[in-house]
């Protein structure tokens, strides 16, 4: 370790405790009856990425396990035109050297704060992130622990918990602009099946709610110019203009998605499959059939507007 760095130079956040401490070498004295198990190491302000390596090694020498917070495709915190890989997971598992690793799984990322607020205006490619990331967990990563990111971080659009229409102050700053009327509840059905598969080691199957179709999409095409002085988010060209749907099936079935007068269909196998359909003006619909009989059908309550917009919104509906 370089002479100018020591384990006391690093910060750590006990994820489960929700508290932050700085320059601490013996924080357990603050928890006489509790040993924090999941830690998020951060590099000191201004340090290079090498400092993060030292931080992780320092912390894993002291503590039980570590959480990798970064659960979105990025490079040096900037958006990239690529899906999430398992490189970060492999790095943490290597540095933990057999200690339990907690991986982060997240469904989305979009934030649109102005410079006068939190000054965050970017997205990470998230079209199929939730399913891709869960498949990585069950496939090559197989972490001992998983944290869902997050239940209620509305400002970065990766919430899976319910909206709060009667208490919009919880959205933080201007986040209500891209969160209001944009529920993510359907993703919990997908997550339920994956959690069961993660615990049992079996393939994902429909949960207690039975076979399901979960559909998500953005309110506007990515190239539409809005009357928004903040401008589009960094990375706005990366998402696909598509209507996405995941089918959680007991056996093979055909899923059809229609939008803007155009339809597409595909035969999906048992388990969890996702499928992208056309992205056009109006309210998209889906139809799930098996052997000619309709199993499920639905219409998105939010109409896609391909003509005009006042504020850029790359959140998922």
């Amino acid at each position: 370790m370089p002479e100018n760095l020591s384990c006391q130079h690093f910060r750590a956040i006990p994820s489960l405790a929700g508290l932050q401490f700085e320059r601490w070498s013996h924080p357990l004295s603050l928890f006489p009856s509790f040993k924090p198990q999941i830690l998020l190491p951060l590099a000191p302000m201004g340090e290079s990425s090498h400092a993060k390596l030292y931080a992780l090694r320092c912390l894993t020498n002291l503590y039980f396990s570590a959480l990798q917070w970064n659960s979105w495709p990025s490079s040096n915190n900037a958006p990239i035109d690529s899906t999430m890989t398992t490189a970060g997971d492999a790095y943490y598992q290597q540095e933990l050297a057999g200690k339990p690793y907690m991986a982060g799984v997240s469904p989305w990322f979009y934030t649109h704060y102005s410079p006068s607020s939190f000054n965050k205006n970017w997205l990470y490619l998230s079209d199929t992130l939730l399913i891709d990331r869960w498949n990585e967990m069950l496939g090559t990563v197989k972490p001992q622990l998983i944290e869902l990111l997050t239940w209620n971080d509305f400002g970065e659009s990766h919430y899976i918990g319910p909206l709060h229409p009667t208490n919009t102050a919880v959205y933080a700053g201007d986040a209500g602009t891209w969160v209001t009327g944009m529920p993510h509840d359907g993703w919990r059905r997908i997550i339920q099946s994956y959690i069961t598969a993660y615990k049992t080691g079996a393939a994902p199957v429909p949960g207690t709610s039975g076979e399901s179709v979960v559909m998500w999409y953005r309110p506007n095409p990515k190239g539409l110019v809005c009357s928004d002085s903040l401008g589009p988010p960094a990375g706005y060209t990366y998402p696909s203009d598509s209507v996405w749907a995941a089918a959680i099936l007991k056996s093979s079935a055909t899923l059809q998605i229609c939008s803007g007068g155009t339809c597409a269909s595909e035969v999906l196998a048992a388990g969890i499959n996702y499928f992208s359909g056309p992205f056009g003006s109006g309210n998209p619909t889906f139809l799930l059939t098996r052997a000619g009989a309709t199993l499920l059908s639905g219409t998105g309550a939010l109409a896609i507007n391909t003509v005009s917009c006042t504020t850029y919104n790359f959140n998922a509906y």
Side-chain angles (χ1 to χ4, degrees):
M1 180 177 294
E3 293 181 359
N4 63 332
L5 290 177
S6 71
C7 288
Q8 293 191 13
H9 281 88
F10 296 94
R11 297 180 179 180
I13 300 175
S15 177
L16 295 183
L19 301 174
Q20 178 172 311
F21 304 91
E22 298 184 14
R23 300 179 66 87
W24 49 316
S25 57
H26 301 288
L28 295 185
S29 63
L30 301 172
F31 297 90
S33 61
F34 174 69
K35 180 178 180 180
Q37 294 185 344
I38 295 91
L39 296 173
L40 169 61
L42 299 178
M45 188 66 69
E47 292 286 355
S48 69
S49 60
H50 295 292
K52 296 179 182 179
L53 181 148
Y54 296 126
L56 180 56
R57 288 178 178 172
C58 286
L59 293 171
T60 53
N61 285 336
L62 293 170
Y63 301 106
F64 176 75
S65 64
L67 160 71
Q68 180 191 203
W69 180 263
N70 181 26
S71 302
W72 307 273
S74 62
S75 177
N76 295 321
N77 212 36
I80 57 174
D81 189 9
S82 177
T83 55
M84 184 78 180
T85 73
T86 59
D89 302 297
Y91 168 76
Y92 267 66
Q93 289 173 320
Q94 174 184 311
E95 293 301 319
L96 283 165
K99 291 183 179 181
Y101 166 56
M102 173 176 272
V105 172
S106 186
W108 205 259
F109 193 108
Y110 169 65
T111 186
H112 193 59
Y113 288 109
S114 70
S116 62
S117 181
F118 296 109
N119 195 24
K120 297 166 58 176
N121 184 26
W122 68 85
L123 62 81
Y124 297 132
L125 182 59
S126 306
D127 291 346
T128 58
L129 177 62
L130 180 62
I131 293 177
D132 291 339
R133 189 74 176 137
W134 267 113
N135 287 340
E136 291 173 348
M137 296 300 101
L138 301 184
T140 58
V141 180
K142 294 181 171 62
Q144 293 90 340
L145 301 163
I146 292 175
E147 181 166 337
L148 294 170
L149 305 173
T150 60
W151 178 256
N152 60 358
D153 192 330
F154 300 102
E156 294 182 348
S157 306
H158 41 72
Y159 54 93
I160 61 170
L163 297 177
H164 298 273
T166 61
N167 185 22
T168 57
V170 303
Y171 296 156
D174 301 326
T177 305
W178 59 90
V179 169
T180 299
M182 304 290 281
H184 290 176
D185 302 294
W187 278 333
R188 295 202 297 273
R189 288 201 175 190
I190 299 173
I191 291 168
Q192 179 190 34
S193 293
Y194 273 114
I195 287 176
T196 300
Y198 171 70
K199 290 181 176 180
T200 63
V205 295
T208 55
S209 56
E211 294 185 300
S212 303
V213 174
V214 180
M215 184 169 66
W216 64 96
Y217 54 94
R218 303 189 320 276
N220 310 110
K222 60 186 177 182
L224 186 64
V225 178
C226 302
S227 54
D228 183 345
S229 60
L230 185 54
Y236 80 94
T237 62
Y238 299 153
S240 171
D241 282 341
S242 300
V243 175
W244 295 94
I248 310 171
L249 304 175
K250 294 179 180 178
S251 60
S252 176
T254 300
L255 178 63
Q256 179 188 74
I257 297 176
C258 298
S259 178
T262 303
C263 298
S265 62
E266 186 167 321
V267 177
L268 303 178
I272 298 181
N273 303 265
Y274 62 79
F275 170 56
S276 66
F279 186 92
S281 180
N283 300 77
T285 64
F286 72 84
L287 176 66
L288 183 70
T289 60
R290 179 180 293 131
T294 297
L295 300 176
L296 296 166
S297 62
T299 300
L302 179 70
I304 297 171
N305 187 336
T306 62
V307 178
S308 64
C309 53
T310 56
T311 303
Y312 288 102
N313 191 349
F314 283 74
N315 193 5
Y317 175 83

